Amino acid sequence: MATINYRQIASDILAIVGKENIVSATHCATRLRLVVKNHESIDTKAIEKVDQVKGIFFNSGQYQVILGAGIVNKVFEELETMSITTQSKADQDAYVKSQEKGVKAVMRTLGDIFVPIVPVIAATGLFLGVKGVVFNDNILGLIGLSTEIFPPYLNQLVSVLTDTAFGFLPALITMSAFRVFGGTPMIGLVLGLMLVAPQLPNAYAVASGDTDAIMVGGILPVMGHKVRL
């Protein structure tokens, strides 16, 4: 088995990208991440021909070279000896974010807020779909059963599993938003919980005329938020 020359790989990448073109370098589990001044000046085809390079792409201000687990660490160590400015992944990501402007910056911010919540919503939606199938007389009727086979409390317990994330969605969003904007996530969580506080009249109930909103100073209507399932 041929020995991998990590220093040669680092030298080849550095020669093609250009030492003066690199603002900073870091790496993740499989990719070498380079913040460059001008990614269009890099000969992509030449990079792809470098030994052990499995692909490249440019994303969010980073020129990323895919090398694979284990290899990227060794190549990065060689780059560090070549007077290249290196940063931690977190520091480089922060720099990339600071360079984004306009719509792109807004989209990244929204992504940073909502992406961490997606797994919870996806899992809850899946459970909600299973609940809709299992607790359905039409479906159970196909095998000669009905929802009467389930004890009365079971539907309530399953509802806790399927409804909690959607019912407290404002709290999840505000907590995530506080984290992204540098605030204290716990304060964001409490503010979000205030939006669904049981003391506040439900917005849906107010809209349907079942109850009245709290009128502050007789002018400002105040009501709570609750996702109707």
Side-chain angles (χ1 to χ4, degrees), residues 171 174-192:
T174 53
M175 181 176 68
S176 185
F178 266 63
R179 175 187 58 81
V180 170
F181 291 109
T184 303
M186 193 57 65
I187 295 177
L189 175 63
V190 172
L191 290 177

Side-chain angles (χ1 to χ4, degrees), residues 82-103:
M82 299 176 182
S83 301
I84 297 299
T85 301
T86 58
Q87 290 182 311
S88 67
K89 182 177 178 297
D91 288 341
Q92 194 179 84
D93 286 345
Y95 172 80
V96 171
K97 288 181 182 180
S98 70
Q99 301 304 302
E100 294 179 341
K101 307 295 181 183
V103 175

